[in-house]
Amino acid sequence: MSGNIKLLSDTLAAAKAEGRSALIAYLPAGFPTVDGGIKAAKAVFDGGADVVEIGLPHSDPVLDGPVIQTADDIALRGGVKIADVMRTVREAHQATGKPVLVMTYWNPIDRYGIERFTAELAEAGGAGCILPDLPVQESATWREHADKHGLATVFVVAPSSKDARLAEITAAGSGFVYAASLMGVTGTRESVGEQAQDLVRRTKATTGLPVCVGLGVSNAEQAAEVARFADGVIVGSAFVKLLLAADGDLAAGLAGVRSLAGELAEGVRKHS
């Protein structure tokens, strides 16, 4: 069974053909529960997200700020397993026909086994993996298995990345490039800023892959700002915040994330 890297590429290309950025939503698996997380992924798609990233909860998520750390903690205490992550990918993709990726730190894949992980992700209909802490120079075995199973390998670049390093990272990646808009961890910000625009410009000089910006976008205005220069706008903490604020009222949380996805989807269409 082959994964859905082509669906991911086609989705990003279709957004570009419409003259807009793609909206990419992030949600952790198993939060607030496994079933609730699946419903949340479907809700953001219903609201207008083009792509969803499903986070594999980790006890030490170095890239993630306090909001996502809190959600990961809830998921881990609930006993979330890699099988639940795969189920979330499968059900979100099957319900919508849209591309679903997994975002994970390297350690869980290493323990689980690269071949097993890539085979199961492809079988679930996954489009690929975002690997924020896997060094490019140590990624050959992963990429070989990901390519074999039709999965994208999305690497993260940061404002601190020098041009030569950007070229090395983008040459190894596939699907798209995840541009972290600022130094630091995920979370909502007042402004996403010029650092992100400069990083996108420098990254695009090295690759034909779409460059999508994450870290800090939380509302339609910021989405429109980023959409002016990026191929995709990635939003995570703002969705997770709404589910946390719902405090166990899943229906209210789902309504909130669906509504926010709608506002953000409007935002990425307003930049032109």
Coordinates of all heavy atoms in Angstrom, one line a residue, residues 17-67:
A17 N -2.8 27.2 -7.3 CA -3.6 27.5 -8.6 C -4.8 28.4 -8.3 O -5.2 29.2 -9.2 CB -4.0 26.2 -9.2
E18 N -5.3 28.3 -7.1 CA -6.4 29.2 -6.7 C -5.9 30.6 -6.3 O -6.6 31.5 -5.9 CB -7.2 28.6 -5.6 CG -8.1 27.4 -6.0 CD -8.7 26.8 -4.7 OE1 -8.9 27.5 -3.7 OE2 -9.1 25.6 -4.8
G19 N -4.5 30.8 -6.3 CA -3.9 32.0 -5.9 C -4.0 32.3 -4.4 O -4.1 33.4 -3.9
R20 N -3.9 31.2 -3.6 CA -3.9 31.3 -2.2 C -3.0 30.4 -1.5 O -2.4 29.5 -2.1 CB -5.4 31.1 -1.7 CG -5.8 29.6 -1.9 CD -7.1 29.3 -1.2 NE -7.6 27.9 -1.4 CZ -7.3 26.9 -0.6 NH1 -6.5 27.1 0.5 NH2 -7.8 25.7 -0.8
S21 N -2.8 30.6 -0.2 CA -2.0 29.6 0.6 C -2.9 28.5 1.1 O -4.2 28.7 1.1 CB -1.5 30.3 1.9 OG -0.3 30.9 1.7
A22 N -2.3 27.4 1.4 CA -3.1 26.3 2.0 C -3.2 26.5 3.5 O -2.3 27.1 4.1 CB -2.4 24.9 1.7
L23 N -4.3 26.0 4.1 CA -4.4 26.0 5.5 C -4.1 24.7 6.1 O -4.7 23.7 5.7 CB -5.8 26.5 5.9 CG -6.1 26.4 7.4 CD1 -5.2 27.3 8.2 CD2 -7.6 26.7 7.7
I24 N -3.1 24.6 6.9 CA -2.7 23.3 7.5 C -2.9 23.4 9.0 O -2.4 24.3 9.7 CB -1.2 23.1 7.2 CG1 -0.9 23.1 5.7 CG2 -0.7 21.8 7.9 CD1 0.6 22.9 5.3
A25 N -3.7 22.5 9.6 CA -4.0 22.5 11.0 C -3.3 21.4 11.7 O -3.0 20.3 11.1 CB -5.5 22.3 11.2
Y26 N -2.9 21.6 12.9 CA -2.2 20.6 13.8 C -3.1 20.3 15.0 O -3.6 21.2 15.7 CB -0.8 21.2 14.3 CG -0.2 20.4 15.4 CD1 0.7 19.3 15.1 CD2 -0.6 20.6 16.7 CE1 1.2 18.6 16.1 CE2 0.0 19.8 17.7 CZ 0.9 18.8 17.4 OH 1.4 18.0 18.4
L27 N -3.2 19.0 15.3 CA -3.9 18.5 16.5 C -3.2 17.3 17.0 O -2.8 16.4 16.2 CB -5.3 18.2 16.1 CG -6.3 19.3 15.7 CD1 -7.5 18.8 15.0 CD2 -6.7 20.1 17.0
P28 N -3.0 17.2 18.3 CA -2.4 16.0 18.8 C -3.3 14.8 18.9 O -4.5 15.0 19.1 CB -2.0 16.4 20.3 CG -2.5 17.8 20.5 CD -3.3 18.2 19.4
A29 N -2.9 13.6 18.5 CA -3.7 12.4 18.7 C -4.0 12.2 20.1 O -3.2 12.5 21.0 CB -2.9 11.2 18.1
G30 N -5.1 11.6 20.4 CA -5.5 11.2 21.8 C -5.9 12.3 22.7 O -6.1 12.1 23.9
F31 N -6.1 13.5 22.1 CA -6.6 14.7 22.9 C -7.9 15.2 22.3 O -7.9 15.5 21.1 CB -5.5 15.7 22.9 CG -5.9 17.0 23.4 CD1 -6.1 17.2 24.8 CD2 -6.3 18.1 22.6 CE1 -6.6 18.4 25.3 CE2 -6.7 19.3 23.1 CZ -6.9 19.4 24.5
P32 N -8.9 15.5 23.1 CA -8.9 15.2 24.5 C -9.0 13.7 24.9 O -8.7 13.3 26.0 CB -10.2 15.9 25.0 CG -11.0 16.1 23.8 CD -10.1 16.1 22.6
T33 N -9.5 12.9 23.9 CA -9.5 11.4 24.0 C -9.1 11.0 22.5 O -9.1 11.8 21.6 CB -10.8 10.9 24.3 OG1 -11.8 11.3 23.3 CG2 -11.3 11.4 25.7
V34 N -8.9 9.7 22.3 CA -8.7 9.3 21.0 C -9.8 9.6 20.0 O -9.7 10.2 19.0 CB -8.3 7.7 20.9 CG1 -8.1 7.3 19.5 CG2 -7.0 7.5 21.7
D35 N -11.0 9.2 20.5 CA -12.2 9.5 19.7 C -12.4 11.0 19.5 O -12.8 11.5 18.4 CB -13.5 8.9 20.3 CG -13.5 7.4 20.2 OD1 -12.7 6.8 19.3 OD2 -14.3 6.7 20.9
G36 N -12.2 11.8 20.6 CA -12.4 13.2 20.5 C -11.4 13.8 19.5 O -11.7 14.8 18.8
G37 N -10.1 13.3 19.5 CA -9.1 13.8 18.6 C -9.5 13.5 17.2 O -9.2 14.4 16.3
I38 N -10.1 12.4 16.9 CA -10.5 12.1 15.5 C -11.6 13.0 15.1 O -11.6 13.6 14.0 CB -11.0 10.6 15.4 CG1 -9.8 9.6 15.6 CG2 -11.7 10.3 14.1 CD1 -10.1 8.2 15.9
K39 N -12.5 13.3 16.0 CA -13.6 14.2 15.7 C -13.1 15.6 15.5 O -13.6 16.4 14.6 CB -14.7 14.2 16.8 CG -15.5 12.9 16.8 CD -16.5 12.9 18.0 CE -17.3 11.6 18.0 NZ -18.0 11.4 19.3
A40 N -12.1 16.0 16.2 CA -11.5 17.3 16.1 C -10.8 17.5 14.7 O -10.9 18.5 14.1 CB -10.5 17.6 17.2
A41 N -10.1 16.4 14.3 CA -9.5 16.5 13.0 C -10.5 16.6 11.9 O -10.3 17.4 10.9 CB -8.6 15.2 12.7
K42 N -11.6 15.9 12.0 CA -12.7 16.0 11.0 C -13.3 17.4 11.0 O -13.6 18.0 10.0 CB -13.8 14.9 11.2 CG -13.3 13.5 11.0 CD -14.4 12.5 11.4 CE -14.0 11.1 11.2 NZ -15.0 10.1 11.7
A43 N -13.4 18.0 12.2 CA -14.0 19.3 12.4 C -13.2 20.4 11.7 O -13.7 21.3 11.1 CB -14.2 19.6 13.9
V44 N -11.8 20.3 11.8 CA -11.0 21.3 11.2 C -11.1 21.2 9.7 O -11.1 22.2 8.9 CB -9.6 21.4 11.7 CG1 -9.5 21.9 13.1 CG2 -8.8 20.1 11.6
F45 N -11.1 19.9 9.2 CA -11.3 19.7 7.8 C -12.7 20.3 7.3 O -12.8 21.0 6.3 CB -11.3 18.3 7.4 CG -9.9 17.7 7.1 CD1 -9.5 16.5 7.6 CD2 -9.0 18.4 6.3 CE1 -8.2 16.0 7.3 CE2 -7.7 17.9 6.0 CZ -7.4 16.7 6.5
D46 N -13.7 20.0 8.1 CA -15.1 20.6 7.8 C -15.0 22.1 7.7 O -15.7 22.7 6.9 CB -16.1 20.2 8.8 CG -16.4 18.7 8.8 OD1 -16.1 18.0 7.8 OD2 -17.1 18.2 9.8
G47 N -14.2 22.7 8.6 CA -14.2 24.2 8.7 C -13.4 24.8 7.5 O -13.6 26.0 7.2
G48 N -12.6 24.0 6.9 CA -11.9 24.6 5.7 C -10.4 24.3 5.6 O -9.7 24.8 4.7
A49 N -9.8 23.5 6.6 CA -8.4 23.1 6.5 C -8.2 22.3 5.2 O -9.0 21.4 4.9 CB -8.0 22.4 7.7
D50 N -7.0 22.5 4.6 CA -6.6 21.7 3.4 C -5.9 20.4 3.8 O -6.0 19.4 3.1 CB -5.8 22.5 2.5 CG -6.5 23.8 2.0 OD1 -7.4 23.6 1.2 OD2 -6.1 24.9 2.4
V51 N -5.1 20.5 4.9 CA -4.2 19.5 5.3 C -4.3 19.4 6.9 O -4.4 20.5 7.5 CB -2.7 19.7 4.9 CG1 -1.8 18.6 5.4 CG2 -2.6 19.9 3.4
V52 N -4.2 18.3 7.4 CA -4.1 18.2 8.9 C -2.8 17.4 9.3 O -2.5 16.4 8.7 CB -5.3 17.5 9.5 CG1 -5.1 17.1 11.0 CG2 -6.5 18.4 9.4
E53 N -2.1 17.9 10.3 CA -1.0 17.2 10.9 C -1.5 16.7 12.2 O -2.1 17.4 13.1 CB 0.1 18.2 11.3 CG 0.7 19.1 10.1 CD 1.6 20.1 10.7 OE1 1.9 20.2 11.9 OE2 2.1 21.0 9.9
I54 N -1.3 15.4 12.4 CA -1.6 14.7 13.7 C -0.3 14.6 14.5 O 0.6 13.9 14.1 CB -2.3 13.3 13.4 CG1 -3.6 13.5 12.7 CG2 -2.5 12.6 14.8 CD1 -4.7 14.3 13.4
G55 N -0.3 15.2 15.7 CA 0.9 15.1 16.5 C 0.9 13.7 17.3 O -0.1 13.3 17.8
L56 N 2.1 13.1 17.3 CA 2.3 11.9 18.2 C 2.8 12.4 19.5 O 3.9 13.0 19.6 CB 3.3 11.0 17.5 CG 3.4 9.6 18.0 CD1 4.2 8.7 17.0 CD2 4.1 9.5 19.3
P57 N 1.9 12.4 20.6 CA 2.3 13.0 21.8 C 3.6 12.4 22.4 O 3.9 11.2 22.3 CB 1.1 12.6 22.7 CG -0.1 12.4 21.8 CD 0.6 11.8 20.6
H58 N 4.4 13.3 23.0 CA 5.7 13.0 23.5 C 5.9 13.6 24.8 O 5.4 14.7 25.1 CB 6.7 13.6 22.5 CG 8.1 13.0 22.7 ND1 9.0 13.6 23.6 CD2 8.8 12.0 22.1 CE1 10.1 12.9 23.5 NE2 10.0 12.0 22.6
S59 N 6.6 13.0 25.7 CA 6.7 13.4 27.1 C 7.7 14.6 27.2 O 7.6 15.4 28.1 CB 7.3 12.3 28.0 OG 8.5 11.8 27.4
D60 N 8.5 14.9 26.2 CA 9.4 16.0 26.2 C 9.4 16.7 24.8 O 10.4 16.6 24.1 CB 10.8 15.5 26.5 CG 11.8 16.7 26.7 OD1 11.4 17.8 27.0 OD2 13.0 16.5 26.5
P61 N 8.3 17.4 24.5 CA 8.2 17.9 23.1 C 8.9 19.3 23.0 O 8.4 20.3 23.3 CB 6.7 18.2 23.0 CG 6.2 18.4 24.4 CD 7.1 17.6 25.3
V62 N 10.2 19.2 22.6 CA 11.1 20.3 22.7 C 10.6 21.5 21.8 O 11.0 22.7 22.1 CB 12.5 20.0 22.3 CG1 13.2 19.1 23.4 CG2 12.6 19.2 21.0
L63 N 9.9 21.3 20.7 CA 9.5 22.4 19.8 C 8.2 23.0 20.3 O 7.8 24.1 19.9 CB 9.3 21.8 18.4 CG 9.0 22.9 17.3 CD1 10.2 23.7 17.0 CD2 8.5 22.2 16.0
D64 N 7.5 22.3 21.2 CA 6.1 22.7 21.5 C 6.0 23.5 22.8 O 6.7 23.2 23.8 CB 5.2 21.5 21.6 CG 5.1 20.7 20.3 OD1 4.8 21.4 19.3 OD2 5.4 19.5 20.3
G65 N 5.2 24.6 22.8 CA 5.0 25.4 23.9 C 4.0 24.8 24.9 O 3.6 23.7 24.7
P66 N 3.6 25.6 25.9 CA 2.9 25.0 27.0 C 1.5 24.5 26.7 O 1.0 23.5 27.3 CB 2.7 26.2 28.0 CG 3.2 27.4 27.3 CD 4.1 26.9 26.2
V67 N 0.8 25.1 25.7 CA -0.5 24.7 25.3 C -0.5 23.2 24.7 O -1.2 22.3 25.2 CB -1.1 25.6 24.2 CG1 -2.4 25.0 23.6 CG2 -1.4 27.0 24.8

